[in-house]
Amino acid sequence: MSKSNLVVSTKTQIKVMKKKKKSLTLTQQRALFGYLFIAPFFVGFILLFLTPLIQSLTFSLSKLSVTSSGYHLTYIGLENYEKVLKVNPNFVPSLLANVTEIISQVPVIIIFSFFAASLLNQKFKGRAFARAIFFLPVILTSGIVLAIESTDLLVNSTQGASKEEIEKSTTALKFLQFKQFLYAINIPGPIVGFLVAAVDQIYEIVIASGVQILIFLAGLQSVPKSLYEASTMDGATGWENFWKITFPMVSPLIIVNLVYTIINTFTSADNQIMSLVRHTIFSQSEFGIGSAMAWVYLGTVAIILTVLSLIVLKLTSRYKT
C-alpha cells in the first residue's frame, strides 16, 4: 500500500471514529425521546399556565381592590388562608366530604377498570363493540349530555314525584337485603360498607372508568404471549400466570391510572369545592379568598396523590418482575 493510500485510509478511520463518538447510546436516545414527548406540556405550561398560576398565588396573599384604572393589590400575608380554614363555614366540611368520597371511589375505579380491561382483552365475537360500549360514557358525559344529566331534565320530564319515591324506597330495600346477606356470610363491617358504597355508586364508577380501561387494555396487550406459553408449558395455572406475569407487567400503569383518576375526580364539573371556588370568585368577587381556597385544595390533592402513590408503589413492588 502506498503512502498516500495509507494517509487516506487513516483519515477515513478517524472520521468514522468521530461519527461513532457523536452517535447517541440507546439510553440517551430514549431520554431524548422522553424529553421530546413532554416538551409540548412544558411549552404549554410556560406560555399558558405559569402566569395565571403566579397571579393566583399573588391574589391569595393579597386583598384586591377595584379602581378606575383596574385593580390594586394590598399584601396581607396568610389572612385569606385563615378566613378559608377558620371563618368560612362551607369550605372545610366540603373539603372533608370531597376527600372522603375520593378515597372511597378511587380504589373501586382502579379495580373495576383492571377487571373490565382483563375481560375485554379476551378473544370473543364483538370485542371491538364491547370496548366501544365501555368507552362511550366518556364521550356522552361531555357537553350538553352532562348538563342534562346533572339537572335531571329527562328524569323530571318522564317521572312523577310519587314514582320517584317508590323507586327510592325499592332501592333502599334492595340495599338493606344486600347488607343483610353480606353480614350473614360473616364479612367484616368495614368491608360491607365499602362494598355497599361501591354498588351504590356503580353508575358513576362506570362513567369514570373509560380512560383507565383503555390504559390497562393497552398494557395487557403489550405483554408478550410467549411468556404465557412458556409458563403454561411449565405447568403454571391461570391464577399463577396472573400474579407472576400479568400483574407485574401491568402494575406500573396502576400509578398512571391513579394519578389520572384523582386529578379527574378532583376537577370534575360537579365537584363541591370547584363550585364553591367559582362562586366565591365570580359571584362574590372575593378573588383573594377564592384563590386561597384553590391553593388549599391544590395542596390537599398533592398530599393525597403522594400518599396513595407511595402506598401503591409499596404494594406493587413485591410483584415486580
Side-chain angles (χ1 to χ4, degrees), residues 126-203:
R127 181 172 62 173
F129 179 74
R131 293 175 180 176
I133 290 297
F134 273 95
F135 190 71
L136 193 61
V138 179
I139 302 174
L140 293 180
T141 53
S142 60
I144 187 63
V145 179
L146 181 61
I148 293 176
E149 182 191 37
S150 61
T151 55
D152 283 337
L153 289 178
L154 294 179
V155 175
N156 293 333
S157 62
T158 57
Q159 296 180 347
S162 59
K163 189 174 181 180
E164 287 182 1
E165 294 176 356
I166 294 174
E167 289 182 352
K168 288 181 180 179
S169 61
T170 304
T171 303
L173 179 61
K174 290 180 180 179
F175 273 103
L176 179 60
Q177 295 174 348
F178 181 57
K179 281 185 177 180
Q180 292 176 348
F181 171 74
L182 293 177
Y183 282 122
I185 58 178
N186 296 325
I187 294 180
I191 298 180
V192 172
F194 179 78
L195 293 176
V196 171
V199 174
D200 188 27
Q201 300 173 351
I202 188 64
Y203 177 70

Side-chain angles (χ1 to χ4, degrees), residues 2 22 24 31 41 74 78 95 112 117 120 180 189 221 229 233 267 293 303:
S2 63
K22 291 181 179 180
L24 299 176
F41 166 76
T74 304
L78 300 178
L95 181 62
F112 174 79
L120 295 175
Q180 292 176 348
Q221 291 179 344
E229 295 174 355
M233 292 178 63
T267 57
M293 288 181 179
I303 293 173

Side-chain angles (χ1 to χ4, degrees), residues 21-307:
K21 289 182 179 180
K22 291 181 179 180
S23 62
L24 299 176
T25 63
L26 180 59
T27 304
Q28 292 174 338
Q29 290 177 3
R30 289 179 176 177
L32 179 61
F33 285 135
Y35 290 130
L36 292 176
F37 182 79
I38 62 177
F41 166 76
F42 280 106
V43 173
F45 178 79
I46 293 173
L47 296 179
L48 301 176
F49 293 100
L50 184 60
T51 300
L53 195 66
I54 297 174
Q55 191 176 34
S56 174
L57 181 60
T58 305
F59 284 174
S60 68
L61 299 173
S62 308
K63 181 179 181 180
L64 187 145
S65 303
V66 179
T67 61
S68 58
S69 60
Y71 64 87
H72 176 71
L73 295 177
T74 304
Y75 178 77
I76 58 175
L78 300 178
E79 184 177 331
N80 288 327
Y81 291 92
E82 293 180 358
K83 290 181 180 179
V84 168
L85 297 174
K86 298 180 180 180
V87 178
N88 192 291
N90 300 320
F91 181 76
V92 174
S94 299
L95 181 62
L96 293 177
N98 197 4
V99 169
T100 304
E101 181 181 357
I102 297 305
I103 293 177
S104 62
Q105 278 190 356
V106 168
V108 180
I109 293 174
I110 298 297
I111 294 172
F112 174 79
S113 301
F114 188 79
F115 176 74
S118 300
L119 292 180
L120 295 175
N121 193 42
Q122 306 298 320
K123 290 184 179 180
F124 58 90
K125 291 183 179 180
R127 181 172 62 173
F129 179 74
R131 293 175 180 176
I133 290 297
F134 273 95
F135 190 71
L136 193 61
V138 179
I139 302 174
L140 293 180
T141 53
S142 60
I144 187 63
V145 179
L146 181 61
I148 293 176
E149 182 191 37
S150 61
T151 55
D152 283 337
L153 289 178
L154 294 179
V155 175
N156 293 333
S157 62
T158 57
Q159 296 180 347
S162 59
K163 189 174 181 180
E164 287 182 1
E165 294 176 356
I166 294 174
E167 289 182 352
K168 288 181 180 179
S169 61
T170 304
T171 303
L173 179 61
K174 290 180 180 179
F175 273 103
L176 179 60
Q177 295 174 348
F178 181 57
K179 281 185 177 180
Q180 292 176 348
F181 171 74
L182 293 177
Y183 282 122
I185 58 178
N186 296 325
I187 294 180
I191 298 180
V192 172
F194 179 78
L195 293 176
V196 171
V199 174
D200 188 27
Q201 300 173 351
I202 188 64
Y203 177 70
E204 291 80 5
I205 291 171
V206 173
I207 289 178
S209 302
V211 175
Q212 294 88 327
I213 291 174
L214 288 182
I215 294 174
F216 275 132
L217 188 59
L220 291 171
Q221 291 179 344
S222 65
V223 179
K225 295 182 179 179
S226 58
L227 294 178
Y228 295 108
E229 295 174 355
S231 63
T232 303
M233 292 178 63
D234 290 337
T237 62
W239 184 252
E240 291 173 339
N241 285 337
F242 174 80
W243 288 109
K244 299 296 183 181
I245 298 176
T246 305
F247 190 78
M249 297 291 288
V250 182
S251 59
L253 296 179
I254 297 178
I255 299 295
V256 177
N257 279 331
L258 178 69
V259 174
Y260 175 83
T261 304
I262 292 176
I263 295 177
N264 182 60
T265 309
F266 269 105
T267 57
S268 61
D270 57 346
N271 190 292
Q272 297 180 15
I273 302 297
M274 299 291 290
S275 301
L276 182 60
V277 171
R278 286 195 297 267
H279 177 74
T280 303
I281 293 178
F282 298 107
S283 298
Q284 299 179 351
S285 299
E286 295 286 351
F287 293 92
I289 296 177
S291 299
M293 288 181 179
W295 277 98
V296 172
Y297 190 49
L298 177 62
T300 305
V301 174
I303 293 173
I304 293 176
L305 187 59
T306 302
V307 172

